[in-house]
Amino acid sequence: STRAPAGVYRARSKFEASYRDRDGQSQSIGKFATEEEAAHAYNAALAKHGLESIRKVNKVDETGRLIPKTVAPAFGMSRSAPATKRKSEYYGVSQKGPMWRACYRDAGSNKKHIGTFENEEEAARAYDAKIKKLGLQSRRKMNEDAQGRLVAKPGRA
């Protein structure tokens, strides 16, 4: 089966495209007759605002057609599907479906969500950056060594 393109949502009989700006605020692009039109509008908006490096861009083939995203069967539903990775090698990182989530606990021990990333390493770097920005390095475990290289949790490498 396939998943909806990034930034595209079904809105009754139309497809709505929206994106999050640099401040995380949702910005509506518009409603479109087809999912593909909405996906192209989403990609164009990201390009216009220089967000391709921090937001997911929908992949297109050499003819400009949208490449559909496939969804793996649910965990345990198919013996032919490879087992999905559930535990992260890094502090502050967990898997949510096919994506990786970075979270931390603030000084009051309240759980805070940083973001969702396509790979585990991006999530680990985002976690470390947030911990450093908040000055919590002495109270939270870090994933980077002194040279800035990612180091797995003990026993996970």
Side-chain angles (χ1 to χ4, degrees):
S1 81
T2 61
R3 207 167 63 194
V8 177
Y9 309 93
R10 183 107 180 153
R12 294 190 181 177
S13 62
K14 301 246 180 206
F15 292 90
E16 188 172 336
S18 64
Y19 68 96
R20 293 206 177 268
D21 62 18
R22 289 190 187 280
D23 298 326
Q25 299 297 312
S26 181
Q27 302 294 326
S28 178
I29 300 167
K31 292 184 180 177
F32 302 87
T34 68
E35 189 175 58
E36 187 147 338
E37 287 176 317
H40 284 295
Y42 169 83
N43 284 355
L46 292 185
K48 178 181 176 183
H49 299 287
L51 299 171
E52 302 104 313
S53 63
I54 61 172
R55 299 285 183 253
K56 279 193 250 172
V57 177
N58 294 303
K59 295 179 180 162
V60 294
D61 64 16
E62 58 277 350
T63 65
R65 293 196 48 137
L66 187 66
I67 298 172
K69 295 192 274 183
T70 57
V71 177
F75 184 73
M77 295 300 289
S78 170
R79 292 186 186 267
S80 63
T84 57
K85 191 173 184 179
R86 291 291 169 193
K87 296 205 178 214
S88 174
E89 295 179 16
Y90 304 106
Y91 295 108
V93 178
S94 61
Q95 191 168 24
K96 177 78 173 170
M99 304 296 285
W100 292 92
R101 179 190 310 186
C103 296
Y104 70 99
R105 292 205 179 264
D106 65 13
S109 292
N110 299 307
K111 190 170 186 177
K112 301 289 184 176
H113 178 74
I114 299 168
T116 307
F117 303 87
E118 291 198 22
N119 67 56
E120 192 176 10
E121 291 77 18
E122 285 178 41
R125 291 200 187 281
Y127 167 85
D128 280 8
K130 189 68 166 185
I131 295 299
K132 286 177 189 173
K133 181 180 177 184
L134 296 172
L136 295 172
Q137 302 95 304
S138 64
R139 297 174 61 183
R140 300 289 179 262
K141 294 181 179 173
M142 302 289 287
N143 295 307
E144 293 179 352
D145 63 11
Q147 289 78 35
R149 296 178 302 223
L150 287 176
V151 178
K153 293 179 194 174
R156 296 281 171 116

